[in-house]
Amino acid sequence: MAEDRTAFASSSDLKDRWPNMMDATLADTLLEDASQLIRDTCPGWAEASEETRRSIACSMVKRAMIAGEDSAGLSARQENAGPFSQSWTYSNPTGDLYLTKSEKARLGQGRQRAFSISVESGTVVGPWTG
C-alpha cells in the first residue's frame, strides 16, 4: 500500500500566516519536506488534528525560510561602540527544518503511556495516556 505523502499545508496557508513570504515554489517544497519529517519523527502524527498539522508545518517552514533574512533568525545580538565590536548569533543559521519541543507535544510525541497485562490470562488493559 502506498503511503500518502501530501503536504499538510500549502504555500497559500503559509502566506495567510506570514504575509511577507516571497517564494511560493520553495515554500511548497519545504512544506512537503516538513510534512514528511513530521511523519518520520512523530508516530502519533495521525491523531493530531488537521489544523494542528497545518500550523506546525507552516511554523517549521517559516523558521527555515527566515534563516537567510536580515536579523529575522537571530537569537542573540551584541554591539559595542568602542573599539567597534559587533556580534550576532543565529538560531537556525543553515535553515534546517526542525520541530520544537512544544510542537512535538502537540503531535503526541513524548506523552507517557501506560498499560497492564494480566499474567494469568495475557489480556492487555489500556493504554492510558497522560
Side-chain angles (χ1 to χ4, degrees):
M1 182 171 99
E3 185 179 330
D4 182 15
R5 298 196 183 273
T6 57
F8 296 141
S10 67
S11 58
S12 63
D13 294 323
L14 183 56
K15 186 79 168 169
D16 290 344
R17 290 164 172 79
W18 184 28
N20 296 334
M21 184 203 55
M22 300 298 272
D23 190 345
T25 303
L26 175 60
D28 282 326
T29 300
L30 291 174
L31 285 163
E32 290 172 10
D33 294 346
S35 300
Q36 190 59 47
L37 180 69
I38 290 169
R39 288 184 190 97
D40 291 345
T41 59
C42 298
W45 67 268
E47 297 171 20
S49 71
E50 184 178 327
E51 182 55 38
T52 295
R53 294 189 305 254
R54 180 181 304 117
S55 170
I56 291 172
C58 286
S59 294
M60 292 171 67
V61 170
K62 181 179 177 183
R63 280 193 299 269
M65 290 181 73
I66 65 171
E69 292 182 3
D70 291 339
S71 61
L74 286 177
S75 65
R77 179 180 177 163
Q78 178 183 352
E79 292 183 36
N80 297 324
F84 312 108
S85 178
Q86 196 172 19
S87 173
W88 289 304
T89 303
Y90 288 90
S91 57
N92 188 12
T94 58
D96 294 333
L97 292 170
Y98 64 91
L99 289 160
T100 65
K101 186 176 182 178
S102 65
E103 290 168 344
K104 288 178 183 178
R106 290 175 63 197
L107 292 165
Q109 185 73 8
R111 288 188 187 154
Q112 296 178 350
R113 291 181 174 83
F115 61 92
S116 64
I117 300 174
S118 169
V119 177
E120 195 172 309
S121 66
T123 306
V124 176
V125 180
W128 299 281
T129 59

